[in-house]
Amino acid sequence: MTPTLIWSALMTKPVDLATTPRKALSLLLLTCLLGLLAGVAAPPAQASRAHPRVEQRDAALQRAVDAIVAAGASGAVVLVDDGTDAWQQASGAARLEPEQAWRRDEKVRIGSITKTFVATLVLQLVDEGRLSLEDDVEEWVPGLVPGGVGISLRHLLQHTSGLFSYSEDEAFLDAFVTDPERSFTPGELVAYAVAHPPLFAPGADWSYSNTNYVLLGLVLENATGESLRSLLRDRIIKPLGLTHTKFPAGATIPGKHAAGYLPPSLTGLTELLDVTGVNPSWAGAAGALLSTTTDVRDFYRALLSGELLSPASLAAMKQTVPIEEGTAYGLGLLSIETPCGTVWGHDGSVTGYSTYALSNESGTRSMVLALPTTPDEAISAAQLRALSIAVCAMYGRSAPARTLVAGGAGG
C-alpha cells in the first residue's frame, strides 16, 4: 500500500478479485494514505470562525459532489473555507440502512491525516526539550528495530527511514483478512515490518511506510509515560475544542457518524458493502483517528497558524524532501503545486473511508473532502475533479477546465 507519488495516486485501481483474491481483499480493506501538495501564492485572508452549515452554495462544487455519488459512492461531503466565509456541501447519504442524510459533524475515519496529529505531538516534545529530531529509535524503543541506532525520529517523521511498511507484509495481510475485527498491538505491527530487510539506508531515499508512525506512537508513549490517546486528547483535541475528534479504543464509532462502504466493483457483490465495523487498530498511530470536516479544518488552521508549535518546529515540519515534480513531504505534512495555489496538508484512506484536507500555508484557507466509500476508478475520477474545484474555491477562484494534474487512475 505504498502511495504513488503524483496527484493521480489519489485514485485506487480496481482489483481483479478472481485472480488475486487475498491481495485484492487486503487492498480493499487496507487502503493507505494518499496525498500530495505545494505552489502559487494567493492573496492573504483572515481565518473565518464560522461553523459551516451543509448547504448548496456553489453550483459547480455541488455538481462535483453529486458526480461522486453518481459514480457509485454512498455519499460525499466537502467543506470549503476561503478565509472569510465557510460552508459545506453534501450529496448522497451518511448511512444507507437505515438511510440517514448528512448532518453537521458526522464523524468519519480520517486515515493517515492522523500522521499530522502524531507529528505535531513529537514536535511539541521537541519544543519542550524532551525529544530531539536526531534521537534514534533505539533510544526510545530499545530492541524493537534492528539497526534502530541509525534511524532518527526525523527519518520516521519524513518517511526516509527505509523501514518496510507492515501493511504490505503477507503474514499481516493473511491475519487481517482472516479476522478484520481482530485487534493488533503496535508491537505486533512492527514485528511484521522488521521481518523484512530495510528498503534503503536511513536518509538515502523516500518511501511511505505506516511502520514509521506506529513507531512514533511508541516513542511518544515511552517518552511521556502517557498513552497516545491521552496525549492526543490533552495536547491537541481538548485545547482546540475538537469535540468530535477521537482516537478510538475499538471498532465502534461513538455518536453521529457516516457508515463506511466498499463499492460493488471492488467486491463483486451487487450492492455497497458496509465495513464500518472493521477494527482500525491495524492503523494505530498511522491512521486510526475519527474526526469531522470542521474539526479537521480547525486542526490544520491551528497548526499552520503557529498555535500548536514554536516557529522553529513549524519551520522544521515544512522542510521537505522531493517526491515527484512539484510534490514534497515534510514532517507529517505534504505539499504540492496546483494551478490555483500552494496547498499543504495530508489525506488518508482506511477501510470504507477517504478524506482529504488541504490548506494554504498559513491555514487561513482550507478544504476538507470526505467520502464514506473506498474509491474505485470511477469514484476516484469524480473525486479528483471535486478536489480540484474545492481547492480553487478556497482560493476564491474558479477551477480550470482540466483537473489539477492530468493522468489516469493509479494504484
Side-chain angles (χ1 to χ4, degrees):
M1 318 302 213
T2 305
T4 54
L5 306 178
I6 55 174
W7 186 270
S8 61
L10 297 174
M11 296 177 279
T12 302
K13 185 181 295 182
V15 180
D16 185 346
L17 290 169
T19 58
T20 55
R22 184 167 297 279
K23 188 70 171 180
L25 184 55
S26 65
L27 285 168
L28 300 183
L29 295 176
L30 295 174
T31 310
C32 284
L33 138 96
L34 307 168
L36 313 153
L37 320 170
V40 183
Q46 297 298 315
S48 67
R49 292 290 173 179
H51 197 124
R53 300 180 302 277
V54 177
E55 56 180 291
Q56 293 194 7
R57 166 71 174 271
D58 181 305
L61 189 55
Q62 189 62 47
R63 287 193 295 271
V65 292
D66 287 344
I68 294 172
V69 175
S74 59
V77 63
V78 61
L79 179 154
V80 176
D81 189 331
D82 65 8
T84 58
D85 198 8
W87 68 97
Q88 293 191 84
Q89 294 181 226
S91 187
R95 178 180 294 276
L96 298 179
E97 292 184 10
E99 186 170 349
Q100 172 63 59
W102 283 100
R103 301 164 292 180
R104 193 173 72 182
D105 298 325
E106 297 277 6
K107 285 190 281 293
V108 295
R109 300 193 192 278
I110 62 171
S112 288
I113 291 172
T114 304
K115 289 181 172 67
T116 312
F117 282 73
V118 169
T120 300
L121 291 175
V122 171
L123 288 167
Q124 286 181 340
L125 294 186
V126 170
D127 283 338
E128 295 166 13
R130 301 169 71 178
L131 290 176
S132 165
L133 291 176
E134 310 316 317
D135 287 349
D136 60 59
V137 172
E138 182 66 19
E139 178 178 352
W140 292 107
V141 284
L144 197 59
V145 179
V149 171
I151 300 172
S152 70
L153 301 188
R154 188 189 301 274
H155 291 141
L156 296 180
L157 287 162
Q158 201 151 43
H159 295 299
T160 56
S161 69
L163 291 172
F164 186 87
S165 185
Y166 65 84
S167 52
E168 294 183 4
D169 176 77
E170 289 296 335
F172 164 74
L173 296 175
D174 285 344
F176 183 81
V177 171
T178 299
D179 183 9
E181 296 181 357
R182 171 180 169 174
S183 182
F184 290 90
T185 67
E188 288 173 330
L189 298 175
V190 173
Y192 288 120
V194 298
H196 299 262
L199 302 178
F200 48 81
D205 203 347
W206 186 92
S207 182
Y208 184 83
S209 174
N210 285 321
T211 307
N212 293 322
Y213 277 76
V214 170
L215 282 168
L216 287 168
L218 291 172
V219 169
L220 287 165
E221 293 185 337
N222 290 344
T224 64
E226 300 180 51
S227 69
L228 179 59
R229 180 175 296 104
S230 296
L231 292 168
L232 288 164
R233 181 192 64 218
D234 296 341
R235 289 174 167 266
I236 298 176
I237 294 171
K238 279 190 172 181
L240 296 183
L242 307 181
T243 56
H244 305 286
T245 300
K246 313 288 182 187
F247 190 78
T252 301
I253 303 179
K256 290 191 300 184
H257 65 276
Y261 297 92
L262 299 180
S265 59
L266 297 182
T267 64
L269 303 174
T270 58
E271 297 178 344
L272 287 161
L273 176 64
D274 189 334
V275 290
T276 311
V278 170
N279 194 319
S281 65
W282 71 268
L289 270 176
L290 297 162
S291 194
T292 65
T293 55
T294 304
D295 274 10
V296 169
R297 174 202 63 175
D298 291 349
F299 164 69
Y300 278 103
R301 181 168 58 195
L303 173 65
L304 294 170
S305 69
E307 187 175 340
L308 295 173
L309 297 174
S310 69
S313 284
L314 184 56
M317 181 176 262
K318 293 178 181 176
Q319 290 175 357
T320 60
V321 294
I323 299 173
E324 291 281 333
E325 183 179 358
T327 72
Y329 199 94
L331 306 184
L333 200 63
L334 287 143
S335 82
I336 194 172
E337 290 186 5
T338 84
C340 286
T342 300
V343 285
W344 294 80
H346 222 291
D347 46 310
S349 299
V350 289
T351 318
Y353 298 87
S354 181
T355 305
Y356 306 92
L358 312 177
S359 301
N360 67 344
E361 188 170 4
S362 64
T364 56
R365 301 173 183 265
S366 57
M367 59 75 53
V368 183
L369 174 64
L371 278 62
T373 305
T374 294
D376 61 9
E377 185 172 359
I379 295 170
S380 293
Q383 182 182 44
L384 182 59
R385 179 59 182 163
L387 204 58
S388 300
I389 294 170
V391 165
C392 290
M394 87 184 199
Y395 279 112
R397 300 173 182 175
S398 297
R402 61 187 178 86
T403 51
L404 296 182
V405 176

